[in-house]
Amino acid sequence: MYITTVELQDFRNYESLNLSFHPKVNLILGNNAQGKTNLIEAVYLSSLGKSFRTANDVEMIQFGKKFFRVKIQAEKKNEDVCVEMAVSKESKAVKLNGRKIRKISELLENVYIVVFSPEDLKIVKEEPEKRRKFIDRELCQIKPLYFNRLARYKKILLQRNTMLKEQKPKLSLLEIWDQELCEYGSRIIIERAEFIKKLDRISSEIHRNITNGKEKLHVQYEANVPFMKSMDEQQALFLEKIKGALEKDLSRRTTSVGPHRDDLKITINGIDIRKYGSQGQQRTAALSLKLAEIMLIREETEENCILLLDDVLSELDEERQNYLINSLSDIQLFITSAELSEKVRASLPEGKTFYVTEGKIEEEKKCNTESVIESLK
């Protein structure tokens, strides 16, 4: 699948834009703070209905304007997809193929997008929350039910934490929240465990290829509530753990048990690289995880995803740049950068190049050799 066009109105620093893309490579070049990332942020909205940069939709409205509008069209194997979104300070409306949707989960499983930025290169060494977001972002794309369960779990968790902060929490109400938290949390744990098992298999193979077999990557689920194979066992264990932590939770006024405390353990040759890995090992592991994410989407959906490389090539050495580019010849790429070497540009498949200056975009025109020769006759 691939994005064909994007239309923007009052989105970030774009007052008005209508752009057509190449199904293979789209280079988006320009100095910093000109709007390169803003453009691919708009493209990303068609996938999950939200930004990969901010949780607040209103931040994407151009300064001084009342709303923004985005329209993205894509082509898949058997159908065309059109996603439209309009956001004001008071409301958010999303249409899929001309039909207004009630829930964002209805948007999922239509446009599959993976974003890879310099922040993702830090995913291995930074706090567990970044690794949980990495897991959740992927699972939400391929499993709309997971998206709904995660949203419900977060809402219950917020309500429970609010009650824990009260001067005299009602234990009878806490028990009700505990039952619901265990139900939705257990489903999340089981989904994550299955996903991470697949992620480990694919990323290990990719990492072995990148390092020419010198290193063995292993990704392991560190579940706050240990994973159990059946739903009944999972819920029973969750409930036991959360009841056992009640005194601590009342003292700290927050919930200490559940998948909101999960993490990924990432090792190379048995060494935990979150703490002891070199920067090169951590970056290679992050690259392996991102490429595994792309392959997982293909495996689960039988569709190629779209990859947004946001100023990340300059962060990789030449060997890893080449591996990344050679691995992605069959999917649509959006590459933002201040500049790309001629060597890198020559290694890319065919495509289009756009130059961004202060929210204005100009497409690079290819020289037509035949017309030049004809004009010289």
Side-chain angles (χ1 to χ4, degrees):
M1 72 174 306
Y2 59 95
I3 303 290
T4 56
T5 62
V6 64
E7 294 178 34
L8 306 180
Q9 180 184 345
D10 297 333
F11 181 87
R12 297 283 193 184
N13 67 332
Y14 291 99
E15 186 174 340
S16 178
L17 180 70
N18 191 328
L19 211 57
S20 297
F21 297 116
H22 195 280
K24 287 295 183 182
V25 177
N26 297 276
L27 291 180
I28 303 159
L29 306 179
N31 294 328
N32 293 333
Q34 299 303 302
K36 302 188 301 294
T37 301
N38 295 344
L39 177 59
I40 63 169
E41 179 184 33
V43 169
Y44 186 80
L45 291 175
S46 64
S47 178
L48 288 177
K50 60 182 182 180
S51 168
F52 62 86
R53 302 163 77 191
T54 177
N56 186 356
D57 291 337
V58 174
E59 288 182 13
M60 295 180 280
I61 301 173
Q62 189 174 89
F63 182 74
K65 299 300 175 68
K66 294 181 178 180
F67 69 94
F68 77 73
R69 189 181 71 86
V70 170
K71 181 178 180 181
I72 298 109
Q73 298 194 81
E75 285 191 16
K76 297 175 74 172
K77 286 180 183 175
N78 302 315
E79 61 180 324
D80 293 341
V81 178
C82 179
V83 177
E84 297 173 81
M85 183 181 299
V87 171
S88 70
K89 292 179 181 179
E90 295 80 28
S91 65
K92 177 176 181 175
V94 181
K95 286 184 178 181
L96 176 62
N97 295 331
R99 179 181 63 85
K100 190 173 181 179
I101 62 174
R102 295 181 298 108
K103 298 178 180 178
I104 288 296
S105 58
E106 296 177 53
L107 181 63
L108 307 178
E109 293 188 301
N110 283 284
V111 181
Y112 299 104
I113 297 179
V114 170
V115 61
F116 192 13
S117 72
E119 284 302 304
D120 292 304
L121 286 169
K122 304 173 188 174
I123 191 173
V124 174
K125 67 177 180 180
E126 290 200 347
E127 63 271 16
E129 182 187 4
K130 294 287 178 70
R131 291 183 283 279
R132 287 193 296 271
K133 281 186 177 180
F134 164 72
I135 297 166
D136 290 339
R137 189 187 288 172
E138 174 64 23
L139 273 169
C140 285
Q141 283 204 75
I142 59 180
K143 294 181 182 290
L145 272 177
Y146 182 87
F147 178 91
N148 291 332
R149 288 166 182 159
L150 184 65
R152 182 63 182 153
Y153 178 84
K154 287 180 176 179
K155 186 176 180 180
I156 297 164
L157 180 64
L158 179 62
Q159 290 168 324
R160 188 179 194 270
N161 284 340
T162 300
M163 187 168 291
L164 286 169
K165 288 176 173 61
E166 292 179 1
Q167 194 166 3
K168 291 184 178 180
K170 294 180 181 178
L171 297 184
S172 58
L173 282 177
L174 273 178
E175 285 184 11
I176 295 172
W177 294 133
D178 289 353
Q179 290 289 343
E180 285 204 58
L181 202 69
C182 291
E183 178 187 346
Y184 287 97
S186 294
R187 294 185 186 280
I188 288 168
I189 292 165
I190 289 170
E191 292 276 19
R192 283 181 178 177
E194 292 176 355
F195 169 76
I196 292 164
K197 186 177 179 180
K198 295 173 184 176
L199 183 71
D200 177 50
R201 169 176 55 82
I202 297 172
S203 62
S204 294
E205 183 180 347
I206 292 169
H207 194 272
R208 186 171 59 249
N209 291 335
I210 295 174
T211 62
N212 296 316
K214 294 175 183 177
E215 295 180 346
K216 181 172 177 54
L217 177 72
H218 183 39
V219 182
Q220 185 178 347
Y221 185 20
E222 283 191 338
N224 178 263
V225 178
F227 167 63
M228 307 296 285
K229 290 186 178 180
S230 78
M231 184 63 182
D232 289 341
E233 288 177 308
Q234 192 69 65
Q235 281 188 260
L237 180 60
F238 199 143
L239 195 57
E240 177 190 326
K241 294 282 186 184
I242 206 163
K243 283 182 176 180
L246 180 59
E247 189 175 327
K248 180 171 71 173
D249 288 356
L250 288 168
S251 173
R252 297 181 178 179
R253 299 189 173 190
T254 191
T255 304
S256 61
V257 172
H260 60 287
R261 303 280 185 177
D262 285 350
D263 199 358
L264 279 180
K265 184 177 182 180
I266 305 170
T267 61
I268 288 178
N269 297 338
I271 297 170
D272 188 341
I273 63 167
R274 294 173 301 184
K275 300 175 183 177
Y276 306 111
S278 67
Q279 186 182 70
Q281 286 179 318
Q282 290 171 342
R283 289 188 168 203
T284 304
L287 176 58
S288 300
L289 290 172
K290 277 293 168 181
L291 289 173
E293 193 177 348
I294 294 164
M295 293 183 70
L296 260 170
I297 288 175
R298 185 183 299 163
E299 197 174 273
E300 293 287 323
T301 68
E302 297 183 353
E303 284 279 358
N304 282 330
C305 74
I306 295 145
L307 178 62
L308 314 179
L309 293 173
D310 187 24
D311 205 23
V312 78
L313 284 181
S314 60
E315 300 286 332
L316 300 172
D317 61 29
E318 188 176 323
E319 184 180 354
R320 285 162 182 77
Q321 282 183 5
N322 290 335
Y323 188 90
L324 178 61
I325 291 166
N326 292 334
S327 302
L328 304 172
S329 59
D330 56 347
I331 69 174
Q332 187 181 33
L333 295 177
F334 288 80
I335 302 173
T336 71
S337 183
E339 60 178 347
L340 280 181
S341 69
E342 286 302 320
K343 188 174 182 180
V344 171
R345 292 185 67 169
S347 67
L348 292 168
E350 61 177 323
K352 287 184 176 182
T353 299
F354 304 94
Y355 294 95
V356 185
T357 307
E358 296 180 349
K360 304 292 182 184
I361 296 185
E362 188 175 327
E363 183 182 343
E364 180 181 76
K365 300 301 180 184
K366 300 292 184 183
C367 177
N368 189 321
T369 306
E370 289 184 7
S371 63
V372 171
I373 294 172
E374 188 66 30
S375 67
L376 294 173
K377 287 183 180 178

